[in-house]
Amino acid sequence: MKLQQLATLYKNCGYKIHKVRDCYFYSRWIRGKLYPLNTSFPENYQVSVDKRLVNALKWRFLVSPVLINIPKKDLYEFVLKTDNYELGRFERKVRNRIRKSLQTCEITRPSLKDLLEDGLLINRQTCERQLRKDNLLIKEKLWRKYISSIYSNDEFIIWGAYHENRMIGYLIIYELEGKFNMLQALISRKNSSVTNPMCGLIYTAVNSLIK
């Protein structure tokens, strides 16, 4: 997928995406702030900053965080580069968690109906627990438009974890310029210590990408 394609999809889903010079940004309101935050898009995409970009931004936006190539960053990013993600490479404790997840959960592509209903419940539970507000995840109308657009787009890979015929977690992945990124990775906390759905989701997803 190209950056322009990803930006167009997000814009169609309701994000306020705009282009400044050759870079994409999106504006979002942060709780407690009196101004919108204008963030480079996507957040883990490196931006080449020059004087022309700075001049274009400073007269339009009060704050514009961007990711640049420096040794120290105020964010985190997990990078996996491997051709072997089999159980044998993990420590025993991790192997047991993955096995438990695969034994108690069915990992498969979820139905759109389950994403619309169970996914919305998981989103609301997660946002409430994390004390954050993301209308695209918690507002039913916006979530329907957002996830329906993603579901019908072959550029996205979607996995769901099922336990007792109910979706208890989901994972959405997209490829951008040769790298796979997790767009959403959310689980229900109900019985999560027993089912460990995220372990099975990530294990299945990574192995499917390697193959």
Side-chain angles (χ1 to χ4, degrees):
M1 186 187 301
K2 300 296 184 181
L3 180 58
Q4 182 180 357
Q5 293 174 290
L6 184 64
T8 299
L9 175 69
Y10 266 69
K11 191 172 183 179
N12 292 339
C13 290
Y15 279 91
K16 295 181 179 179
I17 305 293
H18 49 271
K19 192 174 184 179
V20 180
R21 307 300 300 176
D22 294 326
C23 305
Y24 288 94
F25 292 83
Y26 77 101
S27 298
R28 56 196 174 98
W29 287 91
I30 305 299
R31 183 178 296 181
K33 300 292 184 180
L34 299 178
Y35 52 85
L37 198 62
N38 183 59
T39 308
S40 59
F41 174 84
E43 291 184 7
N44 62 343
Y45 190 83
Q46 187 173 313
V47 174
S48 297
V49 178
D50 56 24
K51 186 174 181 179
R52 297 172 69 187
L53 178 61
V54 172
N55 288 335
L57 288 171
K58 70 180 182 180
W59 299 114
R60 296 176 59 187
F61 307 101
L62 185 59
V63 179
S64 296
V66 299
L67 175 63
I68 58 177
N69 186 23
I70 56 175
K72 295 183 179 181
K73 299 181 176 66
D74 60 350
L75 52 80
Y76 60 86
E77 181 180 13
F78 296 99
V79 179
L80 173 65
K81 185 177 182 180
T82 184
D83 58 0
N84 178 15
Y85 206 69
E86 297 299 323
L87 280 175
R89 67 168 294 173
F90 297 101
E91 296 179 355
R92 185 175 66 176
K93 184 177 181 180
V94 178
R95 289 200 304 269
N96 290 338
R97 292 179 64 187
I98 295 174
R99 285 196 183 101
K100 180 190 290 186
S101 180
L102 296 175
Q103 290 169 357
T104 57
C105 298
E106 178 188 2
I107 310 297
T108 186
R109 177 177 167 85
S111 68
L112 179 57
K113 179 177 181 296
D114 290 340
L115 286 167
L116 289 170
E117 297 176 0
D118 296 330
L120 181 62
L121 293 176
I122 292 171
N123 295 346
R124 288 173 172 173
Q125 180 192 78
T126 301
C127 288
E128 181 179 2
R129 187 179 67 254
Q130 297 177 351
L131 300 177
R132 67 186 177 98
K133 185 177 182 180
D134 189 332
N135 287 336
L136 281 176
L137 296 181
I138 64 177
K139 299 292 186 180
E140 184 175 358
K141 186 176 180 180
L142 295 176
W143 171 246
R144 177 178 294 275
K145 181 180 180 181
Y146 174 63
I147 196 61
S148 296
S149 298
I150 289 174
Y151 196 84
S152 62
N153 191 317
D154 293 336
E155 298 284 353
F156 290 88
I157 303 168
I158 308 177
W159 291 98
Y162 286 80
H163 178 65
E164 297 180 348
N165 298 318
R166 186 183 184 92
M167 193 184 78
I168 59 172
Y170 70 91
L171 178 66
I172 302 175
I173 299 173
Y174 67 90
E175 179 270 330
L176 178 61
E177 299 181 358
K179 294 182 180 180
F180 289 96
N181 301 268
M182 288 187 187
L183 176 61
Q184 302 290 349
L186 303 178
I187 61 171
S188 170
R189 288 296 172 179
K190 184 178 181 181
N191 298 325
S192 61
S193 60
V194 176
T195 56
N196 287 309
M198 192 53 67
C199 290
L201 283 168
I202 294 178
Y203 180 79
T204 302
V206 171
N207 277 291
S208 70
L209 295 175
I210 291 176
K211 296 176 182 178

